[in-house]
Amino acid sequence: MLPTPEQIKEYIETNLPCEYCDVRGDGAHFQAVIVSEAFAGKRPIARHQLVYEALGDRMREEIHALSMTTLTPEEYRKNG
């Protein structure tokens, strides 16, 4: 069974403190905007690794493609 955007959002929010998380997709390909203070001072690759850690084995087993925008709360307010 393919995961829903709502399930992926729940997986992320359960394991990563988020101020905002929006996930969209069709079951195979997903796009996420994730805002977390945990991203402060980190490069994009380190931010993505935090999200992958939050998703754990689901990233290998359930989720086939996830593109993401990872922002700190300050970056989100500036770009919002």
Side-chain angles (χ1 to χ4, degrees):
M1 188 166 122
L2 295 174
T4 66
E6 293 80 15
Q7 287 172 312
I8 294 176
K9 178 181 180 195
E10 181 181 331
Y11 300 154
I12 293 168
E13 290 179 329
T14 297
N15 297 298
L16 181 69
C18 300
E19 287 198 13
Y20 176 80
C21 183
D22 181 55
V23 180
R24 298 170 192 262
D26 61 10
H29 300 91
F30 297 93
Q31 305 82 35
V33 175
I34 306 159
V35 179
S36 176
E37 189 62 43
F39 299 147
K42 293 186 172 45
R43 293 176 179 234
I45 189 72
R47 294 176 181 198
H48 289 200
Q49 288 170 338
L50 285 174
V51 177
Y52 294 144
E53 287 174 22
L55 292 168
D57 290 338
R58 291 180 179 99
M59 198 60 216
R60 289 188 299 277
E61 297 169 3
E62 297 176 34
I63 303 164
H64 300 289
L66 173 65
S67 64
M68 61 184 110
T69 301
T70 53
L71 302 166
T72 66
E74 183 179 341
E75 291 167 339
Y76 184 68
R77 284 189 291 275
K78 285 182 183 177
N79 296 322

